[in-house]
Amino acid sequence: DQQVKQNSPSLSVQEGRISILNCDYTNSMFDYFLWYKKYPAEGPTFLISISSIKDKNEDGRFTVFLNKSAKHLSLHIVPSQPGDSAVYFCAAGGSARQLTFGSGTQLTVLP
Amino acid sequence: NAGVMQNPRHLVRRRGQEARLRCSPMKGHSHVYWYRQLPEEGLKFMVYLQKENIIDESGMPKERFSAEFPKEGPSILRIQQVVRGDSAAYFCASSPDRVVDTQYFGPGTRLTVL
């Protein structure tokens, strides 16, 4: 039973345009959400997080939106850069502290 | 401030051998988590530890796998009598002692079982 789903395994975007990565969850007990970026043969790198009491959090080129009623969150990257090409994982956490990860979306930013 | 450190980065074992994976958390972090990533999948939680205590091992296979985080030294994930299905990337993460906080990941140990 996948509690966190990233339905798009891959996404290609032109440099300078907006990248939108999506994530859906089923467990209403999750109360914070994170996005990680991962390069091959490296560990996930934390990008941005959002608490369930907010609907938006912004950090530079990265913005995360949370729609609790739809159990949906998205990561916007604008403008996209070739160095953003990586696998992006959505993760959700609750009182148990363990994180539940989606299966990832491979973002390719084309120059 | 050094990040989460894991060693070895790559580990090759034959079936039936033991694998020991080490993790040193970030300075000031007292919570350690282990995750496993199988090929083409996301990371799956295995175990959550604080110093000298296992807090949550609900993701750990019941047999052959064990974890510890002693008072002194790194956290150890031990896999006894490895099988080919144990081949995966094993990631350790740490977080500070707050109710909810970001987990920071190490570079991982890639275990290959021949």
Side-chain angles (χ1 to χ4, degrees):
Chain A
D1 176 31
Q2 265 189 296
Q3 298 188 65
V4 177
K5 291 183 182 179
Q6 294 177 256
N7 291 318
S8 299
S10 62
L11 173 69
S12 291
V13 170
Q14 208 67 39
E15 181 179 5
R17 306 293 289 267
I18 185 170
S19 296
I20 300 176
L21 297 103
N22 294 302
C23 179
D24 297 294
Y25 63 96
T26 57
N27 188 342
S28 56
M29 299 302 289
F30 290 141
D31 55 17
Y32 65 103
F33 304 88
L34 311 93
W35 284 94
Y36 288 86
K37 172 181 176 181
K38 187 179 180 304
Y39 294 115
E42 294 185 13
T45 301
F46 169 71
L47 278 176
I48 192 168
S49 63
I50 188 167
S51 161
S52 60
I53 63 172
K54 295 186 173 182
D55 55 18
K56 178 182 174 182
N57 189 26
E58 191 172 351
D59 183 1
R61 296 186 298 115
F62 301 93
T63 303
V64 56
F65 295 92
L66 176 62
N67 182 334
K68 278 194 300 182
S69 61
K71 294 191 175 67
H72 177 83
L73 64 155
S74 60
L75 175 68
H76 293 209
I77 306 172
V78 56
S80 300
Q81 300 172 354
D84 295 331
S85 297
V87 177
Y88 288 77
F89 288 100
C90 162
S95 58
R97 298 195 70 141
Q98 60 172 273
L99 294 178
T100 301
F101 281 81
S103 53
T105 296
Q106 171 71 57
L107 173 67
T108 302
V109 180
L110 305 166
Chain B
N1 188 12
V4 177
M5 298 173 66
Q6 289 188 249
N7 68 81
R9 294 292 308 274
H10 300 274
L11 183 60
V12 179
R13 285 288 178 265
R14 296 193 179 279
R15 280 180 297 171
Q17 291 184 319
E18 179 180 285
R20 281 190 176 225
L21 289 63
R22 294 174 186 77
C23 169
S24 296
M26 285 178 72
K27 187 176 179 180
H29 287 193
S30 56
H31 300 259
V32 166
Y33 313 81
W34 286 93
Y35 293 82
R36 175 166 65 175
Q37 185 184 24
L38 296 170
E40 309 301 324
E41 293 187 12
L43 282 73
K44 297 283 195 293
F45 168 78
M46 298 181 75
V47 63
Y48 160 38
L49 310 103
Q50 294 181 30
K51 282 287 186 183
E52 300 184 279
N53 287 303
I54 297 174
I55 307 301
D56 180 357
E57 55 182 348
S58 59
M60 195 94 102
K62 294 288 184 276
E63 297 178 351
R64 302 187 297 108
F65 285 72
S66 62
E68 62 177 11
F69 189 15
K71 187 176 179 181
E72 302 290 338
S75 174
I76 307 284
L77 179 68
R78 187 166 77 155
I79 312 172
Q80 296 177 294
Q81 298 175 317
V82 295
V83 301
R84 290 221 172 103
D86 297 332
S87 295
Y90 292 82
F91 294 98
C92 168
S94 72
S95 68
D97 190 15
R98 289 197 283 265
V99 174
V100 166
D101 215 320
T102 301
Q103 294 181 21
Y104 295 90
F105 283 81
T109 295
R110 273 138 195 93
L111 172 65
T112 301
V113 179
L114 301 177

